[in-house]
Each structure stands twice: as C-alpha cells, then as structure tokens.
Amino acid sequence: MPLSEFDIIARYFAQATPGRDDVVLGIGDDAAVIDPPAGQQLAVVIDTLVAGVHFPLETDPYDIGWKALAVNLSDLAAMGAEPAWLTLALTLEQSDEQWLAGFSRGLSELAGQYGLQLVGGDTTRGSLTVTVQVAGYLPPGQALTRQGAAPGEEIWVSGTLGDAALGLRLVQGGLEAGDSAAEQLCGRLNRPQPRLSLGIALRGMASSCIDISDGLLADLGHVCAAADCGAALQYADLPLSSAARDLIAADSGLGDLPLIGGDDYELCFTAPADRHTDIQVLAGQLDCPLTRIGRIEVEPGIRCLEQDGSPRSVTGQGYRHFNESS
Amino acid sequence: MPLSEFDIIARYFAQATPGRDDVVLGIGDDAAVIDPPAGQQLAVVIDTLVAGVHFPLETDPYDIGWKALAVNLSDLAAMGAEPAWLTLALTLEQSDEQWLAGFSRGLSELAGQYGLQLVGGDTTRGSLTVTVQVAGYLPPGQALTRQGAAPGEEIWVSGTLGDAALGLRLVQGGLEAGDSAAEQLCGRLNRPQPRLSLGIALRGMASSCIDISDGLLADLGHVCAAADCGAALQYADLPLSSAARDLIAADSGLGDLPLIGGDDYELCFTAPADRHTDIQVLAGQLDCPLTRIGRIEVEPGIRCLEQDGSPRSVTGQGYRHFNESS
C-alpha cells in the first residue's frame, strides 16, 4: 500500500532535524509557531529545484535533499544571517520509500550541521519539485546586501570558481576527467557547502555581498547595477581548483566557465582596500580561501582583463530561466 | 522575446502588494529582511497547489493566484494568527504574460485585503506548481492548536460545508445547476475567503481549532486523535448553502459531500458548552455564520447521526495524496 501524506511526514521528516528552543510548535498543526529571539531581525529566503531543470533526473536523492537546503543557506550566508528553521514543499510523482529515505538523509545531514529545525511543510503529488524556505536571524542593521559597493573597493570571492559547471558537464557526458577530479567536481555540483561562517564574519567588513548561483559575471552584475558602477576583473586572479585548472588547460573552450558557470554558491563581496589585511586574516581563521579578483570602477559594465591587460572576450552569460531562446 | 525571470518579478510581483513597516528589505536581494514586532510569536505555513491535482488545468489564473494565498491564510486563521508577509515559489511552463497578469492580480487582491507584503520568491521553469509561504503574528501562548478538545465540549463550524466539492463536480462536468447556484459554488471552490477575523476572535475562547481543507470528517479526526477522544455529529445540523441544499435534495448521492468534501476552508473548532452564547454573539459581530454541529465524546471515532438517532453510513474519506489507490 502506498504511503499517505501523513505517513511520509511521520516517517521521513518529523524527526529528521534537531529541535530548537525558539520553535514553540513544529510539524503537525495548521502552522508552526516560532518565538524569535528578542531584538533580532529575520532573514527569509525561498528557492525551488525542479527535476530536469536544476538537476538531472537521475541525481541521487541524498544530493537533491542536500542541495535544496544548501542553495537557500547560501542566500542566507550572503546576507550575513545565522540560519534557524525551514519549511519544505515537496512535490513527488509517487511515494518511493527509497527515494524519500535518501532525500530526507541529505536534507537532515546539512540541517544538522547548522542546528536547523524543519518546522512544517506540504507534500503533494506532481512532477518532482522541491521548494525549501529558510529563515535566519540577524542583528538589526547588520544585513549584507547587494547595495553598497563603491569605486576603488576590492572585489573578493570565496573558494574556487567554475567547479560546479565542470561537474555538470561531466555528469552530462560532454567531458571526461580522472576519478579523483570527477568526484571533486561532482561533489561541488551536488553538495555545495554554504559559506555561513564567512557571511557572519563579513558583517561590518564587506560593503556588499552576493552568492554566486547564476555565475560570477551575472551576480557581480547585480552588485554593480545596485551601486550604479562597474568592475574590472583579472582573469588570471580567478581562483580555480586544481581539477578545474587541469581541465581548462587541456581545453581552452572551458575557460569562461569560472566567469559564467552557475551553481558555485561561493560568496562574492566588496570591501574598502584598507580591509585587505583583515580579510586575509579572516581567510586563515575560517580556513576558507578568499581571493581578491578585481576592483569596483566608476564606469558601468564588467571588464575581464587578460594578464597582458587586453580585454577577454566572454561568450554566454549566467543561467536565467525563461530566456534560453533569446 | 520571452520574459526573463527578472522581468517577471519586476513586472508582475515587485509592486503587487502593499509595503509594510516591519519589512526592512523586500524583493530584490538574496533574502528579505523582516523586523518582527517585539513580544510577538511567528506563525508560519507553506502550501503547494499543483496544476491538474489541486485545480483543473484550465482554471482562471486569477483564481489560482487567489487560492494559492487563500489556502495558506486559512491555515493561519486556524491558528488565530494575523498574517503579515509572504514568499512565492512559482514554477511555470513558460512566461505567458496574460497568465502572469491574471495570477498576479488574484494574489495581489487577496494580499491587499489583509495588508500582506510579498517579500521574496523564486521563479522557475517546469510543470505549473505554486508554493506560497506566509507568516503571521501571534501573542505568546495564544495560538489555537489542534490539541485541547475535551469530552462534553461543543463542536462548531463556520460558514457552510460541501460547497467547494459541489463546485468541483460542476467544473468537472458531472453535475449541473442553475447559473446563480453554479456561480456561488464555483466561487467557493476557486476563491475561498479565509476566516482570519474569526480565528483571531477565537483566541482564548476555542479549546482547539483546525481549518477544513481535507473534509470535515478527516480534519475533525485530527482534532479527536490529538485529544484522544471522539465526536458525535448531527447530520441535520450541518450548515448548507441553499445551492448545496437543493442539489443534495435532488440527488441523495451527494449527501456525504458536506462531511467528506475538501476545499471548504472553513474553521472547525471546539469550545466548552458555557461559551455557547459568547460564540453566538461573535457570529453576529463578525457577520460570520457559526453552527454547533455536535459534541466531543470520550469514545474514539466520529459518529454521524441521522435525525432519528440512527448512525449515518458515510462512504469515502477526505482527500489524501498518495493513497488514492489504497
């Protein structure tokens, strides 16, 4: 007999995440009830992953559960917020217990890392679609936003760029790599690690911050547009993993992926040049690579420069829904 | 040229709802930032409507926008919460501007009635699926929950029962009615009016409360299970609209719909018998019909009695996903 909606919740979700003191009433009533800490603001995000669009249909359900939460946590990281609780809207073709067990485990493991509680949700029948909504807390006035970059400031990114886009090409079969490199790149695609500690540490230090979900150029473009300015990037300064470096060295046609590849979930932030040393110290404290990749400029648009100072011509853009044909 | 995700947000959602003082940062950054009122708890809900499952594919987009918000507001009403802000995750086959304009107008009109602000969302490509998440405020300890019913207490419902289920049969073509009755019943199906004022007024008066989304028997069953008790209902006391009464009089096979039909979005609540007059006064103050339909009993299970005291045999149950074949 197939599982009912209530069985699914009881078996795979009700106990999947740790309890929290600020959750007065969790799963099982018409609504969850939360007691937010006094004097804190709430940062709220919602993101959807659609099977066949955001992940290949055959993706491991563990990875889908992990990533559906991770992409939201990355948005909270970009705001400098500390995540607290989530709701889940899960649309499924059928109640496949093996799939549900894997999905629940992926979601649960990442939620457990940050002490997040699943407080409510909705389980419906239809094409596989996963929507997660997460809320976190912030001291008033401390949110990192896309606004606030100013000419002369340095542009930084965390981690490495382009790995997830290369991982996707490996999964789709258009590219080949050694086992170790493939595992590393596919891990970056399927189980991104949100930069939450970094976001919190950047409060009061970064002038603007965004997470790189649609590709560096697209997301940095939002920062520049919000501040009515532009940017110059040094291509040679873009941080690459050794696996990405090798693949790009072997096929220069992949060279734009660190600029335009989506799904990196690293933070891109700006800061005054006099915070350069503080940021380097932070990188060591958090054990998180932070690389200066360019500067904010007055002139609108983003210029990517080769080592000899000539402009790099970049084809393609970040991933956008609905205008693939445009 | 098709609209991009950013165009859709700017054109149809960014200005669709009124601004609020507690929203520090709305649509357009990685997350929204909210400043919840001091000393209030937060009630949080999320609900999904899937095309072809929760509404027929040809449903007017205005009605889809309205209903996607209404079903969530009904959950907040059942908690006694005052709704404040929402997020929207919208998955669309394509960016159809006429559809988006209608959907946005439906969502916007209901949000406007209660001063709700749309603070963020995600627009993705895939089968039409609408997830809305709403948060509202509550004084600490005042939430109406499913727990708390006690033997001897009276069971009440707001409005009338079975209208939406009859409306669905009209839409699906298995039933016919006059124009005025059809309009009334389809309106109840497509544009339910959440009972928010009632929920707030029931704080401190109702011992338990739930909204009737899956059918009276199924939802009252949750209340009884939570309190480890049962219920006796008088069939003749179930409140019916004149349209429903006429259709059921003409076809007794429809007679169970007030008990098992979904999508009513009325409130079912319990209260001690000594609050009977207070509740009748409340019905007048709110201009909202409130009907006592039975009593909570010690014996588990729900018994529905005919006027002569004999048990009514009810076939079918409330709508549940995933176990239609069981």
Side-chain angles (χ1 to χ4, degrees):
Chain A
M1 195 174 92
L3 290 182
S4 78
E5 184 176 357
F6 306 112
D7 295 332
I8 290 174
I9 294 164
R11 202 168 300 178
Y12 296 108
F13 296 111
Q15 307 299 325
T17 55
R20 289 177 59 92
D21 288 346
D22 56 343
V23 177
V24 180
L25 193 62
I27 289 174
D29 216 300
D30 289 296
V33 179
I34 312 290
D35 206 356
Q40 295 278 295
Q41 291 182 337
L42 205 65
V44 180
V45 291
I46 191 165
D47 259 311
T48 298
L49 301 186
V50 179
V53 176
H54 297 89
F55 56 85
L57 291 169
E58 64 278 13
T59 303
D60 186 330
Y62 178 99
D63 292 341
I64 301 171
W66 176 287
K67 191 165 177 177
L69 177 55
V71 299
N72 280 284
L73 293 181
S74 180
D75 280 326
L76 287 185
M79 300 300 287
E82 187 178 340
W85 46 268
L86 65 136
T87 56
L88 166 69
L90 180 59
T91 304
L92 293 171
E93 303 271 1
Q94 73 253 336
S95 59
D96 174 334
E97 292 213 49
Q98 200 178 339
W99 192 94
L100 281 163
F103 176 87
S104 164
R105 214 168 55 246
L107 184 82
S108 170
E109 283 202 15
L110 183 56
Q113 278 188 17
Y114 297 102
L116 295 182
Q117 185 172 347
L118 177 63
V119 299
D122 191 16
T123 312
T124 51
R125 190 164 50 83
S127 301
L128 179 57
T129 308
V130 188
T131 296
V132 171
Q133 175 266 333
V134 192
Y137 301 125
L138 264 173
Q142 299 270 304
L144 303 174
T145 70
R146 296 180 179 189
Q147 322 250 325
E153 289 185 343
E154 295 182 324
I155 303 166
W156 296 79
V157 293
S158 62
T160 55
L161 299 175
D163 295 327
L166 289 163
L168 183 61
R169 300 219 174 181
L170 290 170
V171 169
Q172 290 176 333
L175 185 66
E176 291 195 356
D179 283 354
S180 151
E183 192 180 337
Q184 189 195 335
L185 297 171
C186 293
R188 292 270 293 161
L189 173 67
N190 290 323
R191 291 179 301 281
Q193 190 69 49
R195 297 293 190 182
L196 286 157
S197 304
L198 174 61
I200 292 168
L202 288 175
R203 291 177 191 162
M205 192 180 292
S207 57
S208 75
C209 187
I210 194 167
D211 80 320
I212 308 176
S213 50
D214 293 336
L216 175 64
L217 292 188
D219 289 314
L220 180 58
H222 295 310
V223 168
C224 291
D228 205 12
C229 58
L233 302 179
Q234 307 298 324
Y235 182 78
D237 289 347
L238 297 182
L240 303 184
S241 66
S242 58
R245 196 172 295 282
D246 292 347
L247 287 169
I248 291 171
D251 177 359
S252 65
L254 302 171
D256 286 343
L257 289 185
L259 292 163
I260 61 166
D263 270 356
D264 277 332
Y265 303 105
E266 296 294 347
L267 298 188
C268 174
F269 59 96
T270 57
D274 62 10
R275 303 306 297 263
H276 190 98
T277 310
D278 298 336
I279 293 169
Q280 286 180 316
V281 169
L282 188 62
Q285 286 170 342
L286 298 177
D287 196 17
C288 170
L290 298 177
T291 308
R292 181 189 59 184
I293 59 169
R295 275 186 189 271
I296 296 294
E297 296 185 336
V298 172
E299 191 190 340
I302 301 176
R303 291 155 291 284
C304 185
L305 305 177
E306 301 285 7
Q307 241 166 333
D308 64 3
S310 66
R312 182 182 176 91
S313 140
V314 179
T315 53
Q317 56 173 0
Y319 187 80
R320 293 184 181 193
H321 291 289
F322 299 113
N323 63 349
E324 291 85 348
S325 61
S326 65
Chain B
M1 194 176 92
L3 291 182
S4 77
E5 185 176 356
F6 306 112
D7 295 333
I8 291 175
I9 294 164
R11 202 166 300 177
Y12 296 108
F13 296 110
Q15 306 299 326
T17 55
R20 288 177 59 93
D21 288 346
D22 55 343
V23 178
V24 180
L25 194 62
I27 288 175
D29 215 300
D30 289 297
V33 179
I34 312 290
D35 206 357
Q40 294 280 294
Q41 290 183 337
L42 204 66
V44 180
V45 291
I46 190 165
D47 259 312
T48 298
L49 301 186
V50 179
V53 176
H54 296 89
F55 56 85
L57 290 169
E58 63 277 13
T59 303
D60 186 329
Y62 179 98
D63 292 341
I64 301 170
W66 176 287
K67 190 165 177 176
L69 177 55
V71 300
N72 280 284
L73 294 181
S74 180
D75 279 327
L76 287 185
M79 300 300 286
E82 186 178 341
W85 46 267
L86 65 136
T87 56
L88 167 68
L90 181 58
T91 305
L92 294 170
E93 304 270 1
Q94 73 252 332
S95 60
D96 174 336
E97 293 214 47
Q98 200 178 340
W99 191 95
L100 281 162
F103 176 86
S104 164
R105 213 168 57 246
L107 185 82
S108 170
E109 283 201 16
L110 184 56
Q113 279 188 17
Y114 297 101
L116 294 182
Q117 185 172 346
L118 177 64
V119 300
D122 191 18
T123 312
T124 51
R125 190 164 51 82
S127 301
L128 179 57
T129 308
V130 188
T131 296
V132 171
Q133 177 265 333
V134 192
Y137 302 125
L138 263 173
Q142 298 270 304
L144 303 174
T145 71
R146 296 180 179 189
Q147 322 251 326
E153 289 186 342
E154 296 182 323
I155 304 166
W156 296 79
V157 293
S158 62
T160 55
L161 299 175
D163 296 327
L166 288 164
L168 182 61
R169 299 219 174 180
L170 289 169
V171 169
Q172 289 177 334
L175 186 65
E176 291 195 355
D179 284 354
S180 151
E183 192 181 336
Q184 188 194 335
L185 296 171
C186 293
R188 292 270 293 160
L189 173 67
N190 291 322
R191 291 179 301 282
Q193 189 70 48
R195 297 292 190 184
L196 285 157
S197 304
L198 175 60
I200 292 168
L202 288 174
R203 291 176 191 161
M205 191 179 294
S207 56
S208 76
C209 188
I210 194 167
D211 81 320
I212 307 177
S213 50
D214 293 335
L216 174 64
L217 292 188
D219 289 314
L220 179 59
H222 295 311
V223 169
C224 290
D228 203 14
C229 58
L233 303 178
Q234 306 298 323
Y235 182 79
D237 290 346
L238 298 182
L240 302 184
S241 66
S242 58
R245 196 172 295 282
D246 291 348
L247 287 169
I248 291 171
D251 177 359
S252 66
L254 302 171
D256 286 344
L257 289 184
L259 291 163
I260 62 168
D263 269 357
D264 277 331
Y265 303 105
E266 295 294 347
L267 298 188
C268 174
F269 58 97
T270 57
D274 62 9
R275 303 307 295 265
H276 190 97
T277 310
D278 297 336
I279 293 169
Q280 286 180 315
V281 169
L282 188 61
Q285 286 169 342
L286 298 177
D287 197 17
C288 169
L290 298 176
T291 309
R292 181 190 60 185
I293 59 169
R295 276 187 188 270
I296 296 294
E297 297 185 336
V298 173
E299 192 191 340
I302 302 176
R303 290 154 291 284
C304 184
L305 305 177
E306 302 285 5
Q307 241 165 334
D308 63 4
S310 66
R312 182 183 175 91
S313 141
V314 179
T315 53
Q317 57 172 359
Y319 187 79
R320 293 185 181 191
H321 291 288
F322 299 112
N323 64 349
E324 291 85 347
S325 63
S326 63

